[in-house]
Amino acid sequence: MSAADGHGSRARPARILHVSHTGHRGGAELALARMLTAGPPWEAGLCCPPGGDAFDGLPGHGVAVEQRLPQLPVGGTRSRSPLLAARYLATLRAAARALRRSPLFDRADLVHANTAAAAIIAALARQGRPVPVVVHLRDLVTPESLGRFGYAAFTRLALPHAAGVIANSHTTLESATDRLPAGLPRAVLQSPSGLHSRVTEPHVRPEVRVIGMVGRLQRWKGQHVFLRAFADCFRGTDVRARLAGAPLFEEAAYAEELRLLAADLGIAEQVTFTGHVDDVAGFIDSVDVLVHASVKPEPLGQTVLQGLARAKSLIATEGGGPSEWIRSGVNGLLVPPDRPEALAAAMRKLAGSREMRWELAAGAARTAGILSDTECAMAHAAFFREVVASGRSAERGGR
């Protein structure tokens, strides 16, 4: 990917500024960090608030990082308090002013807004300099997913000014389609999974000893559903449950609730909370069955991609992104969301049949279309090129 260097005779890598509304480890932030450490063919910069460690390693990969944006108030998109909503909007405007003053923003050929909140910030900032903004849709564009205030702000302030849209699944893109102008460049692109190699020959142990989940500890991810289903199946046995992932600030109470639930269910001695794990592949390889248990449709379901890439026997809740990747009974099992009894039935089925576990693992290994992080970066580069070219064509057409 290249752009004119101002002399017309040579080319330089395009300058892409990535904007994140937080530096803490969420799915969107980890996906961006993975892509920027995969050697993308552009000159990358990042603007985000201080705090958090999701992007700590990026300077070592040649990414210019500026931590100049203010922290957004927690709960601002979902609160019914007019005062908190006003404070949230004021902080978005302050973040836009900070972004506008950034040298990285001043020299960018394109801005990539990594989340809905980042897209609002970038849209407000571009009022001073009309750089093209690519909006990354990582959540369903609905009031339920973004919050009532967040949805209104995103659809009114950000989407109308987008030069292009990337979605992490067809489900996510479809949720925004009626809000997108006709002809706007758009693409469904896989998010980097963090796994650099695929397992092509599954290894299935004779018995199920460990069942696991990986993902941030938050209620809609359904770790409580997993624990109830696990207790139904395996309480008092030597089967273990492992939950990888950590809560962010506002979710600490949920993490404690999960520990109390495990004790109430009589499985505390069988459950291990590992906290955040950097070696996702190692964690997945350590379990016999991997579970995705979101209680509502998942925009993508990064766990699903990771499980498929590692040829793991997999159970996921149906709807959203997971249903785009899993054919139930072929490369995984799909169960209804928020139904511990249905999840328990699927666990029993897999625990009772090594043959079924092997068939699903083999189906996972054959799943087409899962990209490496480097391939994900190349796919994003191609779309960024399309957006830049589209803007230049529009400029020429308007002359």
Side-chain angles (χ1 to χ4, degrees):
M1 182 175 182
S2 61
D5 67 357
H7 300 288
S9 58
R10 291 180 297 168
R12 59 164 173 79
R15 294 170 180 148
I16 308 296
L17 174 60
H18 305 270
V19 180
S20 176
H21 76 279
T22 179
H24 292 283
R25 295 188 186 203
E29 292 71 40
L30 291 174
L32 177 59
R34 289 166 184 151
M35 184 167 70
L36 296 184
T37 57
W42 61 81
E43 183 182 326
L46 171 71
C47 268
C48 65
D53 58 358
F55 304 123
D56 281 358
L58 292 185
H61 291 270
V63 179
V65 177
E66 289 186 354
Q67 296 178 315
R68 63 167 58 227
L69 305 185
Q71 295 278 3
L72 294 173
V74 174
T77 62
R78 299 182 180 277
S79 174
R80 294 184 177 275
S81 165
L83 289 178
L84 183 55
R87 183 177 162 219
Y88 189 85
L89 182 58
T91 308
L92 286 171
R93 295 189 182 280
R97 290 193 294 272
L99 180 61
R100 196 180 301 130
R101 291 193 293 268
S102 166
L104 295 177
F105 181 79
D106 186 58
R107 63 200 292 265
D109 299 307
L110 181 145
V111 172
H112 169 232
N114 195 48
T115 60
I120 299 170
I121 294 168
L124 293 173
R126 74 177 296 280
Q127 294 174 7
R129 176 177 177 255
V131 60
V133 174
V134 168
V135 174
H136 210 131
L137 303 178
R138 298 190 186 273
D139 292 301
L140 300 181
V141 184
T142 64
E144 293 75 22
S145 290
L146 299 179
R148 182 174 57 87
F149 175 75
Y151 173 80
F154 179 61
T155 55
R156 295 174 187 175
L157 299 178
L159 281 186
H161 301 288
V165 165
I166 295 171
N168 58 7
S169 70
H170 293 282
T171 301
T172 304
L173 183 60
E174 288 168 6
S175 73
T177 297
D178 62 351
R179 292 282 184 170
L180 302 179
L184 183 75
R186 62 197 74 183
V188 174
L189 300 179
Q190 180 196 314
S191 297
S193 65
L195 304 181
H196 303 293
S197 62
R198 292 193 61 175
V199 172
T200 57
E201 295 292 335
H203 174 66
V204 179
R205 289 180 275 261
E207 296 181 345
V208 169
R209 294 298 184 190
V210 182
I211 298 182
M213 278 189 70
V214 57
R216 182 170 145 191
L217 298 185
Q218 51 186 159
R219 186 173 298 278
W220 78 272
K221 292 289 189 181
Q223 283 89 356
H224 60 289
V225 177
F226 170 81
L227 289 178
R228 291 187 183 279
F230 180 85
D232 190 356
C233 293
F234 303 112
R235 182 192 293 113
T237 71
D238 59 358
V239 180
R240 305 280 306 182
R242 290 181 188 162
L243 284 85
L248 293 186
F249 304 121
E250 68 272 21
E251 292 141 3
Y254 179 62
E256 181 59 24
E257 180 184 323
L258 292 174
R259 295 179 186 277
L260 293 174
L261 177 62
D264 289 343
L265 292 171
I267 56 173
E269 297 302 316
Q270 294 173 250
V271 179
T272 301
F273 294 88
T274 69
H276 174 79
V277 294
D278 288 316
D279 183 11
V280 176
F283 176 85
I284 293 174
D285 291 347
S286 75
V287 307
D288 299 297
V289 176
L290 184 68
V291 173
H292 164 277
S294 294
V295 301
K296 60 183 182 180
E298 179 95 46
L300 173 62
Q302 192 69 262
T303 297
V304 170
L305 289 177
Q306 292 165 335
L308 293 172
R310 299 305 295 175
K312 188 58 57 177
S313 302
L314 179 67
I315 306 171
T317 51
E318 61 192 3
S323 289
E324 296 178 21
W325 286 96
I326 292 179
R327 292 175 57 204
S328 195
V330 176
N331 60 349
L333 296 179
L334 292 173
V335 297
D338 206 10
R339 293 271 302 279
E341 69 279 8
L343 179 56
M347 287 181 178
R348 284 193 190 93
K349 187 179 294 187
L350 291 185
S353 175
R354 182 177 186 269
E355 181 181 0
M356 177 175 284
R357 295 198 307 277
W358 191 91
E359 289 175 353
L360 294 182
R366 293 192 299 268
T367 302
I370 299 176
L371 305 180
S372 69
D373 289 359
T374 298
E375 290 169 331
C376 286
M378 293 303 171
H380 283 70
F383 184 74
F384 293 153
R385 280 196 298 269
E386 177 186 344
V387 171
V388 171
S390 176
R392 289 174 180 160
S393 296
E395 288 176 6
R396 288 193 295 268
R399 289 172 185 162

